[in-house]
Amino acid sequence: MVKKIQTVLVSVYNKEKILPLVSLLNEKNIKIISTGGTEKFLAQHNIPVISVESITDYPSILGGRVKTLHPKVFAGILQRSNNQDDLVDLRKFSISTIDMLIVDLYPFQETLKQTKNHDEIIEKIDIGGVSLIRAAAKNYKEVLVVSSMDQLESVIELFHETDGKIN
């Protein structure tokens, strides 16, 4: 099955490196959804972005610990386009599909090297990012997953070769 990427969720710790890929996605008229700091970063670089909060109708809570952990996000990633029950649920609950995910995890190992502050270390245990990556991996036939900044150049090349179609 060949699928054209239409919507991407971007939630990254390392924001500087994503500009070339996200700019390309914007040029291809791919809808970009993002979270807090990433959303602000993209908007500052004139990349049109939709906040996760506007998708979920729920704010980021617990000091940013809970942003993407929401059924509208995970159903958009986990939906199966060939499953009629899934399609009914998407319509019933007004859920949009997410075809691509760009996530990098908090730098836990770097944090361990830089500090002994327990609270700072605990906050670098990524929950949402890992959950998003696992959901997208489970639905690898439907969702392109970019889980490392080292993959960005390859994904840009892929987009140039396929015009944003995956299979």
Side-chain angles (χ1 to χ4, degrees):
M1 171 181 76
V2 176
K3 181 175 185 174
K4 181 139 175 85
I5 303 289
Q6 297 180 30
T7 304
V8 60
L9 173 60
V10 183
S11 182
V12 296
Y13 182 83
N14 186 342
K15 294 160 186 51
E16 288 296 327
K17 293 183 178 183
I18 64 168
L19 277 177
L21 176 55
V22 175
S23 295
L24 176 61
L25 298 174
N26 181 49
E27 289 170 20
K28 301 278 184 188
N29 294 316
I30 294 171
K31 181 168 65 171
I32 301 168
I33 303 168
S34 194
T35 58
T38 306
E39 175 196 354
K40 289 176 189 155
F41 177 81
L42 295 175
Q44 288 170 350
H45 287 86
N46 299 315
I47 304 288
V49 62
I50 299 164
S51 71
V52 165
E53 289 87 354
S54 70
I55 301 294
T56 63
D57 294 323
Y58 216 85
S60 173
I61 60 172
L62 304 180
R65 282 182 156 194
V66 179
K67 299 180 273 263
T68 57
L69 296 168
H70 192 280
K72 284 194 172 184
V73 172
F74 281 86
I77 293 169
L78 288 164
Q79 62 77 33
R80 297 160 291 186
S81 62
N82 62 351
N83 182 302
Q84 290 305 310
D85 290 336
D86 286 6
L87 299 177
V88 167
D89 283 344
L90 293 177
R91 283 190 300 276
K92 180 178 179 181
F93 297 105
S94 301
I95 298 170
S96 298
T97 61
I98 296 172
D99 312 300
M100 183 175 178
L101 177 68
I102 304 172
V103 175
D104 71 342
L105 304 179
Y106 294 140
F108 185 73
Q109 293 298 327
E110 288 177 27
T111 303
L112 287 177
K113 292 175 188 173
Q114 294 172 358
T115 186
K116 300 289 182 217
N117 181 303
H118 180 265
D119 292 338
E120 196 174 327
I121 292 168
I122 290 298
E123 291 310 313
K124 291 298 188 276
I125 297 174
D126 204 310
I127 305 300
V130 172
S131 300
L132 290 167
I133 291 168
R134 290 181 67 108
K138 181 171 185 161
N139 203 19
Y140 70 93
K141 291 182 179 180
E142 301 271 351
V143 183
L144 176 62
V145 184
V146 180
S147 59
S148 167
M149 297 299 103
D150 295 336
Q151 298 169 323
L152 294 178
E153 286 184 34
S154 298
V155 174
I156 290 170
E157 288 175 25
L158 177 69
F159 263 82
H160 285 303
E161 291 169 8
T162 67
D163 196 33
K165 297 180 183 123
I166 60 170
N167 58 3

